Amino acid sequence: MSQTHKGIFTLSRRRFFKAGGTAAAALCANTAVSTTTEAARKPLDPREVQEAAATRRSPDARTVHSVCLACNARCGVRGVVRKGRLVNISGNPYHPYNMQFDPIAYDTPLEQSLAVTSPVCGKALDTPQHIYSPYRLRVPLKRSGPRGSGQFEPIAWPDLIREIAEGGTLFSHLGEDRHVPGIRELISDDPIDPQDPDLGPKRNGLVFLTGRLQSGRKEFIDRFVKKSVGSKNRIGHTDICGLGFRMGNFALSDGKAVELKADPKNADYILVFGANIYEALQPGINTYGAMVARRRADGELAFSIVDPRATRASVHARDWLAVKPGQDGALAMAMIRRMIETGRINRDYLGAPNPIAVKKRGYGALCNASHLVICDGRHPDDGAFLRMHHLNPNLDEAAGNDRVIFARDGKTPVASLSAAEAALDREAAVKDVAGKTLRVKTAYRLLKEAAFAHSLADYAAICGVDRSLIERVADEFASHGTRAAVTQYHGAGNYVNGTYAAYAIAALNALVGSVNMKGGYLTGGGGCGKPTGGLYDLKSFPGGVKARGVAISREKAVYEKSAEYRRKRAQGGSGYPSRRPWFAFTRGGLCVEALSGIDEQYPYAAKVLFTYLFNPVYSIPGGYRFASTLADPAKVPLHVSIDIAVNESNLYADYIVPDLSFAEGHYGWLTPHAPGLCFTGIRSPMVKPLTDATPDGRPICTETLLIDLATRLQLPGFGHAAIPDAGGGRHDLSRAEDFYLRAFANIADGAKITPAGEGEIATVEAEYPISAHRGILPDEQWRRVCRMLARGGVFKPYDALFEGDIFIKGLPEVHLYNESLARSRNTLTGRRFSGTPAYVVPADAGGNDFSELENVYPFTVVTYKTRLHTQSRSLWSVHAMEIQDENRVEMNSADCRQLGLVTGDRVRLASVSNPAGITGRVQATKLVRPGCVAVSFHFGHSGFGAGPLTVKNGADVFLGGAAVIGKDGRLVVEPGFAKGLNPNDVALLDERLGRTPMVDLVGGIPDFSSTRVRIEKMISKVA
């Protein structure tokens, strides 16, 4: 371990040998008792070597309940703090994620809870090492050389605020005479493009891209970006985080939910698609993975794994289906076909035409399988559901919008709400109000046609899984009925055909009727209380601006309403193609397409870019393409990064503002992931901020930056009297706690939390840093908040969310046919998308599949996360790096033999988009499908201390002080951080779209599974 990462409690070499030498001498001499020999006989006290670790029961330590952010799982933590330093982490026994859905009672006294053990994963345990990394930034930086040069200098806080707000010739001292726009120039309702006012105002020139962002800071940042500045462009990173599986659920639920998973507490059988349940899932491995493992060991649960790589859970799985990368959709459609043609679907459930019929039959959610769809290309509503107004013009609006079914006789069209039964598999003609004949099909029939478009043998060949295994797994899944469900995650749909793959996977649950059923496919149950409303209105404020127009990512925007479309139509064309794809049907959070839009200045140019804890050059497949974008002042006139370090992306920033770690800030209210549960975990600081302070004593961080920018620009929603309360009063918003403590008060009030007793209040006020700001709240509100803080949130029991076997917080309806999707178009071709799950061949934006690459680039790259490394910045986790400091190129042993490779050989991976490639060491294994290479994420860095920087007064800039600054004034590089390889650096780029990263044309999903590489041996085996 390097000097900069040694622990703070160490025994000096001289002291160690003195103690050891005294003991040894005494043992050898075997003399009479003397002071020296008496001391030698006494065993060496371990505390002479290292100070004893503090625990939550240590009298000289304090314990703070919070919510972890080592990954996005949202588990509870108890931080142990000694002498102001976080020294230990354990789980929160009040929190269901730390106790496998079975936490201690909420009214358990706080003192008693401290004796209850509660686990966290290794990522959380590394938090004390991570947050004290010597490479953390303490003060704001301004670029002092060309973008990407790694040259920075400190900038005073008032100067930082003025320059970002006002702009100017900010880098003239570097010979850059260009005018840099400030935010003030964007505060205008003039159109950003006079030729297309529908794109919105100049305010949209502010683009704010976020990495890991959770509720709390999300609302705070949105307040600034969307309501004070009025920009559409606060865009998250949902796409690279796992948009694929979310898009499947988005389609199944018609946008009502994006996270559904199998119920680990009561399922009999779980089919796991692309989810690493023992290492990297949400909920976390100590929750979901532990529950699955325990119930499997007890004989209560069986599961199968679908993944090109045998995950750690595969050792317990009934089957490992080693699917070809990017072909999960073919496997799911094969299962659908098998279930349909063998009658292994829940016809009783699927034939229920309305919620009343569903409830009478004992199921959890309506399915639109029996509803009729207009399948007539001549009709203006082709692709829409047949509604009663198509048949009878004299109905009121509600009755006219009711969907139509065929009655049980399969001939009579009737309103779905009026029938108890419906025909399921039907195609026929009906007469509309004008007497014209319409062809209609049930949603189920359309799904059946899509499934039967290929034979089982064809599907098996496409997905690379033996037909008999597909049949056996499909039969077993169906045999468990409503206690069978899917858990899908990143690997199931994060690629160019991902929407339809994930939709097909999600549809499996509907076919057995397990949606909203105990043991089935469940959403999360939401939170307790309303953080932005109640006692205080944190959502709206006088003078707030409504953001309008089109996001630079084109997400949730309709191309056919654009001036570009109208112009092309006026010129005699069809209006297609658009210059880049638009994504009307998407969950959103399309950071990849936002950056591609910035690069191509489409549909307009960005003026000011903020990146918040976001490292796109490293984290996006093909993100290396955006290094040139960020380096170009014509495309990014001003770039402000908010981060804890200098990384691979903000190396190109003009300003870097240091932020807090979650242990010092990131106030938030965290609701559950799917499945099940209803709670709101509360994150508050465990230790004081490690960044410097502003001249008036506030910590430098995200909130302080936005408050001071808004105040200088005189934007609404910040500063004096910015927060209204329910009684007509107004309150200042001048520091982070003004917002977050009032949100906590709203939650406690809405959840009807009883006030804490005097003992708990005293504990919170003595041990929780947030208590320094208790004067923000009236005493009664503070007492309620104290009870919530002392338990780390508000938590409801699992069983309280069910009525019998029905999950009461679930979806109202599931869609085997999605009308919104079917009415949307591929804006590059003008063709409509399918409204049902279907097999879609992976292809680039021009429709070219990747088969032609196979001969030259025979291996497909898949990536994954390990149990200890989960983020691009986990290289600061000291213990994780001691256990695994380098990733490997994991290859099937047969492939290794064919290429003459053995474990330890160094190889080069080269792709058509990056012929120079990347290098790493081989690991031969039988746990990867032949023809694939698996590479874990998190390694191969050039930032975070892995690469050179020249920072003026660096000893005052970094948390490590002079220890990380060399005699030449440059940063002391940690070579270990650069070990390994980053698989994103060989990802395929789309030649049709300006060599930007490939995305799914439905939802904007980035591609993690289509990259093919050539592997070349570089050197002989290295020990």
PDB file of all heavy atoms in Angstrom, residues 8 43 60 69 193 251 505 580 582 645 701 749 756 766 796 839 859 962 972 990:
ATOM      1  N   ILE A   8      -4.189   5.519   9.889  1.00  0.00           N
ATOM      2  CA  ILE A   8      -3.747   6.589  10.778  1.00  0.00           C
ATOM      3  C   ILE A   8      -3.258   6.042  12.113  1.00  0.00           C
ATOM      4  O   ILE A   8      -2.570   6.725  12.853  1.00  0.00           O
ATOM      5  CB  ILE A   8      -4.870   7.610  11.021  1.00  0.00           C
ATOM      6  CG1 ILE A   8      -6.068   6.930  11.691  1.00  0.00           C
ATOM      7  CG2 ILE A   8      -5.275   8.292   9.748  1.00  0.00           C
ATOM      8  CD1 ILE A   8      -7.108   7.927  12.179  1.00  0.00           C
ATOM      9  N   PRO A  43       1.565 -10.262  27.871  1.00  0.00           N
ATOM     10  CA  PRO A  43       1.349 -10.239  26.406  1.00  0.00           C
ATOM     11  C   PRO A  43       1.258  -8.814  25.881  1.00  0.00           C
ATOM     12  O   PRO A  43       0.768  -7.908  26.572  1.00  0.00           O
ATOM     13  CB  PRO A  43       0.009 -10.973  26.238  1.00  0.00           C
ATOM     14  CG  PRO A  43      -0.132 -11.796  27.479  1.00  0.00           C
ATOM     15  CD  PRO A  43       0.531 -11.005  28.579  1.00  0.00           C
ATOM     16  N   ASP A  60     -16.593   6.715  24.112  1.00  0.00           N
ATOM     17  CA  ASP A  60     -16.000   7.921  23.548  1.00  0.00           C
ATOM     18  C   ASP A  60     -16.379   8.100  22.081  1.00  0.00           C
ATOM     19  O   ASP A  60     -15.752   8.877  21.361  1.00  0.00           O
ATOM     20  CB  ASP A  60     -14.486   7.879  23.684  1.00  0.00           C
ATOM     21  CG  ASP A  60     -13.854   6.714  22.920  1.00  0.00           C
ATOM     22  OD1 ASP A  60     -14.581   5.742  22.629  1.00  0.00           O
ATOM     23  OD2 ASP A  60     -12.649   6.785  22.614  1.00  0.00           O
ATOM     24  N   LEU A  69     -24.439   5.304   0.489  1.00  0.00           N
ATOM     25  CA  LEU A  69     -24.338   5.658  -0.922  1.00  0.00           C
ATOM     26  C   LEU A  69     -23.058   5.072  -1.523  1.00  0.00           C
ATOM     27  O   LEU A  69     -22.506   5.593  -2.479  1.00  0.00           O
ATOM     28  CB  LEU A  69     -24.391   7.174  -1.109  1.00  0.00           C
ATOM     29  CG  LEU A  69     -24.580   7.723  -2.527  1.00  0.00           C
ATOM     30  CD1 LEU A  69     -25.788   7.115  -3.208  1.00  0.00           C
ATOM     31  CD2 LEU A  69     -24.666   9.232  -2.514  1.00  0.00           C
ATOM     32  N   ASP A 193     -33.736  28.976 -30.604  1.00  0.00           N
ATOM     33  CA  ASP A 193     -33.608  28.910 -32.054  1.00  0.00           C
ATOM     34  C   ASP A 193     -34.801  29.642 -32.659  1.00  0.00           C
ATOM     35  O   ASP A 193     -35.914  29.114 -32.650  1.00  0.00           O
ATOM     36  CB  ASP A 193     -33.586  27.460 -32.526  1.00  0.00           C
ATOM     37  CG  ASP A 193     -33.441  27.335 -34.042  1.00  0.00           C
ATOM     38  OD1 ASP A 193     -33.445  28.372 -34.739  1.00  0.00           O
ATOM     39  OD2 ASP A 193     -33.333  26.201 -34.530  1.00  0.00           O
ATOM     40  N   ALA A 251     -42.730  -0.146 -20.582  1.00  0.00           N
ATOM     41  CA  ALA A 251     -43.695  -0.573 -21.595  1.00  0.00           C
ATOM     42  C   ALA A 251     -44.797  -1.418 -20.976  1.00  0.00           C
ATOM     43  O   ALA A 251     -45.983  -1.246 -21.283  1.00  0.00           O
ATOM     44  CB  ALA A 251     -42.985  -1.342 -22.704  1.00  0.00           C
ATOM     45  N   ILE A 505     -39.210  -9.993 -21.570  1.00  0.00           N
ATOM     46  CA  ILE A 505     -38.904 -10.598 -20.269  1.00  0.00           C
ATOM     47  C   ILE A 505     -39.968 -10.221 -19.244  1.00  0.00           C
ATOM     48  O   ILE A 505     -40.465 -11.064 -18.493  1.00  0.00           O
ATOM     49  CB  ILE A 505     -37.501 -10.163 -19.805  1.00  0.00           C
ATOM     50  CG1 ILE A 505     -36.427 -10.741 -20.731  1.00  0.00           C
ATOM     51  CG2 ILE A 505     -37.243 -10.596 -18.366  1.00  0.00           C
ATOM     52  CD1 ILE A 505     -35.062 -10.120 -20.563  1.00  0.00           C
ATOM     53  N   ARG A 580     -30.706  13.344 -35.710  1.00  0.00           N
ATOM     54  CA  ARG A 580     -30.404  12.326 -34.707  1.00  0.00           C
ATOM     55  C   ARG A 580     -31.746  11.779 -34.211  1.00  0.00           C
ATOM     56  O   ARG A 580     -32.777  12.436 -34.364  1.00  0.00           O
ATOM     57  CB  ARG A 580     -29.612  12.889 -33.520  1.00  0.00           C
ATOM     58  CG  ARG A 580     -28.163  13.227 -33.823  1.00  0.00           C
ATOM     59  CD  ARG A 580     -27.373  13.412 -32.527  1.00  0.00           C
ATOM     60  NE  ARG A 580     -27.224  12.152 -31.811  1.00  0.00           N
ATOM     61  CZ  ARG A 580     -26.246  11.274 -32.028  1.00  0.00           C
ATOM     62  NH1 ARG A 580     -25.315  11.517 -32.927  1.00  0.00           N
ATOM     63  NH2 ARG A 580     -26.198  10.148 -31.325  1.00  0.00           N
ATOM     64  N   TRP A 582     -35.013  10.908 -32.025  1.00  0.00           N
ATOM     65  CA  TRP A 582     -35.807  11.479 -30.951  1.00  0.00           C
ATOM     66  C   TRP A 582     -36.468  10.324 -30.214  1.00  0.00           C
ATOM     67  O   TRP A 582     -36.730   9.272 -30.792  1.00  0.00           O
ATOM     68  CB  TRP A 582     -36.862  12.437 -31.489  1.00  0.00           C
ATOM     69  CG  TRP A 582     -36.307  13.706 -32.082  1.00  0.00           C
ATOM     70  CD1 TRP A 582     -35.300  13.820 -32.992  1.00  0.00           C
ATOM     71  CD2 TRP A 582     -36.747  15.053 -31.808  1.00  0.00           C
ATOM     72  NE1 TRP A 582     -35.082  15.145 -33.316  1.00  0.00           N
ATOM     73  CE2 TRP A 582     -35.957  15.919 -32.600  1.00  0.00           C
ATOM     74  CE3 TRP A 582     -37.737  15.593 -30.993  1.00  0.00           C
ATOM     75  CZ2 TRP A 582     -36.121  17.301 -32.586  1.00  0.00           C
ATOM     76  CZ3 TRP A 582     -37.904  16.971 -30.965  1.00  0.00           C
ATOM     77  CH2 TRP A 582     -37.109  17.822 -31.754  1.00  0.00           C
ATOM     78  N   ALA A 645     -13.249  14.791  -6.884  1.00  0.00           N
ATOM     79  CA  ALA A 645     -11.902  14.520  -7.391  1.00  0.00           C
ATOM     80  C   ALA A 645     -11.756  15.071  -8.795  1.00  0.00           C
ATOM     81  O   ALA A 645     -12.726  15.442  -9.452  1.00  0.00           O
ATOM     82  CB  ALA A 645     -11.646  13.018  -7.402  1.00  0.00           C
ATOM     83  N   CYS A 701     -19.965  23.095  -1.374  1.00  0.00           N
ATOM     84  CA  CYS A 701     -20.644  21.886  -1.841  1.00  0.00           C
ATOM     85  C   CYS A 701     -21.667  22.292  -2.894  1.00  0.00           C
ATOM     86  O   CYS A 701     -21.818  23.475  -3.220  1.00  0.00           O
ATOM     87  CB  CYS A 701     -21.332  21.152  -0.690  1.00  0.00           C
ATOM     88  SG  CYS A 701     -22.630  22.094   0.130  1.00  0.00           S
ATOM     89  N   ASP A 749     -44.264  14.765   9.638  1.00  0.00           N
ATOM     90  CA  ASP A 749     -45.663  15.171   9.816  1.00  0.00           C
ATOM     91  C   ASP A 749     -46.588  14.301   8.968  1.00  0.00           C
ATOM     92  O   ASP A 749     -47.615  13.812   9.460  1.00  0.00           O
ATOM     93  CB  ASP A 749     -45.813  16.639   9.431  1.00  0.00           C
ATOM     94  CG  ASP A 749     -47.234  17.142   9.613  1.00  0.00           C
ATOM     95  OD1 ASP A 749     -47.680  17.250  10.769  1.00  0.00           O
ATOM     96  OD2 ASP A 749     -47.909  17.407   8.583  1.00  0.00           O
ATOM     97  N   ALA A 756     -40.221  12.367  19.717  1.00  0.00           N
ATOM     98  CA  ALA A 756     -39.217  11.597  20.447  1.00  0.00           C
ATOM     99  C   ALA A 756     -39.257  11.972  21.917  1.00  0.00           C
ATOM    100  O   ALA A 756     -39.641  13.086  22.298  1.00  0.00           O
ATOM    101  CB  ALA A 756     -37.832  11.865  19.876  1.00  0.00           C
ATOM    102  N   ALA A 766     -26.712  15.410  20.737  1.00  0.00           N
ATOM    103  CA  ALA A 766     -25.314  15.236  21.116  1.00  0.00           C
ATOM    104  C   ALA A 766     -24.504  14.557  20.023  1.00  0.00           C
ATOM    105  O   ALA A 766     -23.286  14.773  19.933  1.00  0.00           O
ATOM    106  CB  ALA A 766     -25.226  14.410  22.405  1.00  0.00           C
ATOM    107  N   LYS A 796     -42.404   0.805   7.159  1.00  0.00           N
ATOM    108  CA  LYS A 796     -43.634   0.035   7.357  1.00  0.00           C
ATOM    109  C   LYS A 796     -43.340  -1.459   7.208  1.00  0.00           C
ATOM    110  O   LYS A 796     -42.484  -1.850   6.406  1.00  0.00           O
ATOM    111  CB  LYS A 796     -44.697   0.451   6.340  1.00  0.00           C
ATOM    112  CG  LYS A 796     -45.252   1.848   6.576  1.00  0.00           C
ATOM    113  CD  LYS A 796     -46.398   2.142   5.611  1.00  0.00           C
ATOM    114  CE  LYS A 796     -46.998   3.512   5.894  1.00  0.00           C
ATOM    115  NZ  LYS A 796     -48.125   3.813   4.956  1.00  0.00           N
ATOM    116  N   TYR A 839     -39.079 -10.025 -31.102  1.00  0.00           N
ATOM    117  CA  TYR A 839     -37.639 -10.173 -31.253  1.00  0.00           C
ATOM    118  C   TYR A 839     -37.142  -9.164 -32.270  1.00  0.00           C
ATOM    119  O   TYR A 839     -37.633  -9.088 -33.404  1.00  0.00           O
ATOM    120  CB  TYR A 839     -37.252 -11.581 -31.706  1.00  0.00           C
ATOM    121  CG  TYR A 839     -35.772 -11.644 -32.028  1.00  0.00           C
ATOM    122  CD1 TYR A 839     -34.827 -11.452 -31.016  1.00  0.00           C
ATOM    123  CD2 TYR A 839     -35.312 -11.829 -33.323  1.00  0.00           C
ATOM    124  CE1 TYR A 839     -33.472 -11.453 -31.293  1.00  0.00           C
ATOM    125  CE2 TYR A 839     -33.958 -11.843 -33.618  1.00  0.00           C
ATOM    126  CZ  TYR A 839     -33.043 -11.647 -32.599  1.00  0.00           C
ATOM    127  OH  TYR A 839     -31.694 -11.641 -32.870  1.00  0.00           O
ATOM    128  N   PHE A 859     -14.842 -12.052 -30.695  1.00  0.00           N
ATOM    129  CA  PHE A 859     -15.255 -12.137 -29.296  1.00  0.00           C
ATOM    130  C   PHE A 859     -16.162 -10.958 -28.914  1.00  0.00           C
ATOM    131  O   PHE A 859     -15.885  -9.813 -29.273  1.00  0.00           O
ATOM    132  CB  PHE A 859     -14.039 -12.163 -28.374  1.00  0.00           C
ATOM    133  CG  PHE A 859     -13.205 -13.390 -28.530  1.00  0.00           C
ATOM    134  CD1 PHE A 859     -12.113 -13.397 -29.387  1.00  0.00           C
ATOM    135  CD2 PHE A 859     -13.520 -14.555 -27.852  1.00  0.00           C
ATOM    136  CE1 PHE A 859     -11.338 -14.532 -29.553  1.00  0.00           C
ATOM    137  CE2 PHE A 859     -12.756 -15.703 -28.010  1.00  0.00           C
ATOM    138  CZ  PHE A 859     -11.668 -15.696 -28.864  1.00  0.00           C
ATOM    139  N   ALA A 962       0.408  17.999   1.765  1.00  0.00           N
ATOM    140  CA  ALA A 962       1.737  17.898   1.175  1.00  0.00           C
ATOM    141  C   ALA A 962       2.115  16.465   0.840  1.00  0.00           C
ATOM    142  O   ALA A 962       2.988  16.221   0.000  1.00  0.00           O
ATOM    143  CB  ALA A 962       2.769  18.501   2.127  1.00  0.00           C
ATOM    144  N   VAL A 972       1.463  13.575  -6.693  1.00  0.00           N
ATOM    145  CA  VAL A 972       2.116  12.273  -6.590  1.00  0.00           C
ATOM    146  C   VAL A 972       1.117  11.221  -7.065  1.00  0.00           C
ATOM    147  O   VAL A 972       0.061  11.015  -6.464  1.00  0.00           O
ATOM    148  CB  VAL A 972       2.545  11.973  -5.148  1.00  0.00           C
ATOM    149  CG1 VAL A 972       3.132  10.561  -5.048  1.00  0.00           C
ATOM    150  CG2 VAL A 972       3.553  13.012  -4.682  1.00  0.00           C
ATOM    151  N   ASP A 990     -21.300   4.423 -33.381  1.00  0.00           N
ATOM    152  CA  ASP A 990     -22.237   4.321 -34.502  1.00  0.00           C
ATOM    153  C   ASP A 990     -21.797   5.250 -35.620  1.00  0.00           C
ATOM    154  O   ASP A 990     -21.881   6.478 -35.491  1.00  0.00           O
ATOM    155  CB  ASP A 990     -23.646   4.670 -34.028  1.00  0.00           C
ATOM    156  CG  ASP A 990     -24.718   4.107 -34.948  1.00  0.00           C
ATOM    157  OD1 ASP A 990     -24.526   4.181 -36.180  1.00  0.00           O
ATOM    158  OD2 ASP A 990     -25.736   3.604 -34.442  1.00  0.00           O
TER     159      ASP A 990
END
